[in-house]
Amino acid sequence: METGTSENAGQTTGRPAGRAAEVPADEPVWIALPPGLLRMRRLMLVVWLGLLALATGLLLGLFAGPVWAAFALLPLAALLWGWPMVGRNWRSWRYAERADDLLISRGVLWREETVVPYGRMQLVEVTSGPVERHFGLASVQLHTAAAATDARIPGLVPAEAERLRDRLTELGEARSAGL
């Protein structure tokens, strides 16, 4: 008789440290992205679609008449649709560090899971553009020998991004030494 399988089946993200003994050794511990990335993406959505609505309303109102300015509601409708979609996309991103590789999972409709073996990593970069820096975020970019397996983890806190870069670099050097 198996015990505890139904309890552990639904646990795929954010396990408390005290429950680590219940998790099977081969099951990855998934780490979700910080909420700062969600705030940044939603702000960018509001800014771009708000500017588009304003420009559409002004230009159509001036050149085609006030009735045509109603087309400015289309970007606002896209904003209302995009707000929850950005949240769903943000919740779909997660990553897990295993003994021999790094897993990155993302996607809402089309789920995509990338497995990057530590021994195949050639370069690990931490980047942060001006908007990311404003929100206190950084991205980790992994480069491998095969261009198709390059992977990225966006929106990490800079300290976590640097920790992950250092750990992946260390593990990559250790694993590639045996090739």
Side-chain angles (χ1 to χ4, degrees):
M1 182 166 137
E2 292 182 325
T3 59
T5 55
S6 63
E7 292 174 11
N8 291 337
Q11 297 177 359
T12 57
T13 59
R15 288 185 188 86
R19 300 191 67 170
E22 298 175 18
V23 178
D26 60 342
E27 185 177 335
V29 177
W30 292 100
I31 301 169
L33 298 183
L37 180 64
L38 178 62
R39 285 191 298 273
M40 180 188 79
R41 287 183 174 173
R42 283 185 169 164
L43 177 66
M44 297 303 291
L45 182 74
V46 168
V47 166
W48 288 112
L49 289 177
L51 288 173
L52 182 61
L54 183 64
T56 303
L58 285 173
L59 291 175
L60 287 176
L62 288 173
F63 295 115
V67 174
W68 289 96
F71 277 103
L73 296 176
L74 290 176
L76 296 179
L79 175 66
L80 290 176
W81 176 79
W83 189 270
M85 293 301 114
V86 169
R88 287 182 64 192
N89 181 272
W90 169 76
R91 282 189 299 279
S92 75
W93 277 86
R94 58 190 185 158
Y95 67 97
E97 298 174 61
R98 296 194 304 185
D100 296 321
D101 51 30
L102 177 74
L103 301 175
I104 302 171
S105 179
R106 65 195 169 280
V108 177
L109 292 177
W110 285 272
R111 217 60 203 132
E112 189 174 327
E113 189 165 298
T114 304
V115 180
V116 183
Y118 296 133
R120 296 287 188 180
M121 284 188 233
Q122 292 182 331
L123 176 67
V124 182
E125 291 181 303
V126 174
T127 60
S128 184
V131 176
E132 285 180 311
R133 279 194 307 273
H134 177 74
F135 283 90
L137 300 173
S139 296
V140 173
Q141 178 78 36
L142 308 165
H143 299 280
T144 62
T149 58
D150 285 359
R152 184 175 74 92
I153 304 173
L156 296 173
V157 176
E160 171 64 9
E162 291 171 9
R163 183 205 65 82
L164 190 59
R165 178 200 59 210
D166 294 343
R167 176 167 163 68
L168 294 176
T169 302
E170 177 183 316
L171 288 169
E173 288 172 355
R175 298 297 193 284
S176 66
L179 292 179

